[in-house]
Amino acid sequence: MEIPKRFKGKVAIVTASTQGIGFSIAERLGLEGASVVISSRRQKNVDVAAEKLRAKGIDVFAVVCHVSNGQQRKDLIDKTVQKYGKIDVVVSNAAANPSVDSILQTQESVLDKLWEINVKASILLLKDAAPHMQKGSSVVIISSISGYHPPAAMAMYGVTKTALFGLTKALAAEMAPNTRVNCIAPGFVPTNFASFITNNAAMRKELEQQTLLRRLGTTEDMGAATAFLASDDASYITGETIVVSGGMPSRLIISLSWLLLYL
C-alpha cells in the first residue's frame, strides 16, 4: 500500500515516542512527509529511535522530555520552534500506570503521579505549544479503551483516560477555529507498556475474543488512525474520540433512570 504524503512541509511533535504506539505514530507521520519531533525521558532512547526513523528517510529531531517536568516541556516546544519555526501537529501520548491497586487502596502519591502524567501534562504541554500552532493545525490526544470500562487491575489509570475524553471536548471548543483537537482510544495493543496483560496467553485469548475482528491491535493501527485525525482528511472533525479497538465494547453507559430526568 502506498502511503500518502499528507504532512509534507508540516512539523509534528509526538510525546513518549521512542517505542510502542508513540514510535509508530511518529513513524507514520514522518513517512507521510512530516518533520517529526520525538521525545522520551532518556537520551539513549531518543537517540536510538531517531536513528531508526532517519534510516527510513524521515526528518527527525530528538529531544529529551519527561512530560511532568515543566522545564523539559518548555524546552521541547522552544527547541522545536527554534529549529522549524512553527508547530502543525501535537500528539500527546505519554502515560503512566504505576499501580494495580484498587482505587481506594491507591496511595495518594500514586494518584498524584497518574493525574500529573496522564492528564495534567497534556494540558500544560498544549498551553506551551498553542501560541506557536498554525491555522489549520491539529492536536491528537491518546486515551484508551479502558477510559470507557476501567478494568479492576488498572482502574485509576482508566479513570484518567476517561478524563481525556472530556478534555478533548473542552479543548476543541477552546482552540477552535484554528486548531482541531481529537482523541483516539486504542484497544489492547501488545507493547512493553501493556505486556503484563498481553503476554498472558489466556488473558490475550480472552481479549481477542472480545473483539469483532478476533485480534489485538497493532501499533501501526494506532499510527494510521492518528495520522488520519491529524491530517486535512479530517478537517471537519474536532472534539471527537475515535475508538480503535477491533470492535470491543466502548461507550460510557448512562443509566436509564438518569436519562429519564431529561425526557
Side-chain angles (χ1 to χ4, degrees), residues 144-162:
S144 169
I145 196 169
S146 66
Y148 291 107
H149 302 284
M154 47 199 300
M156 194 60 212
Y157 169 84
V159 170
T160 63
K161 292 299 187 175
T162 307

Side-chain angles (χ1 to χ4, degrees), residues 98 103 106-116 156 160:
I103 292 175
T106 303
Q107 295 181 9
E108 184 175 357
S109 61
V110 176
L111 293 174
D112 289 343
K113 182 175 181 178
L114 281 160
W115 178 258
E116 182 89 18
M156 194 60 212
T160 63

Side-chain angles (χ1 to χ4, degrees), residues 63 74 91:
V63 180
K74 186 176 185 302
V91 180

Side-chain angles (χ1 to χ4, degrees), residues 112-180:
D112 289 343
K113 182 175 181 178
L114 281 160
W115 178 258
E116 182 89 18
I117 295 175
N118 296 0
V119 182
K120 183 179 174 183
S122 289
I123 299 170
L124 296 177
L125 177 71
L126 292 172
K127 185 176 182 179
D128 289 339
H132 307 286
M133 298 192 74
Q134 308 296 294
K135 182 177 176 60
S137 58
S138 178
V139 172
V140 182
I141 295 171
I142 310 302
S143 181
S144 169
I145 196 169
S146 66
Y148 291 107
H149 302 284
M154 47 199 300
M156 194 60 212
Y157 169 84
V159 170
T160 63
K161 292 299 187 175
T162 307
L164 294 180
F165 302 151
L167 180 63
T168 297
K169 291 287 189 185
L171 287 177
E174 187 169 323
M175 300 182 78
N178 291 334
T179 301
R180 295 181 301 106

Side-chain angles (χ1 to χ4, degrees), residues 12 23 62-63 69 75 78 83 109 126 150 161 207 211 216 218 223 251 255 259 262:
F23 180 84
V63 180
N69 184 307
D75 287 346
D78 289 349
K83 183 170 179 64
S109 61
L126 292 172
K161 292 299 187 175
L207 290 171
T211 73
L216 299 188
T218 67
R251 286 292 177 264
S255 70
L259 184 60
Y262 293 89

Side-chain angles (χ1 to χ4, degrees), residues 207-215 245-249:
L207 290 171
E208 289 171 344
Q209 290 303 308
Q210 291 178 30
T211 73
L212 298 180
L213 301 182
R214 296 296 185 262
R215 70 173 179 87
S245 68
M248 293 184 80

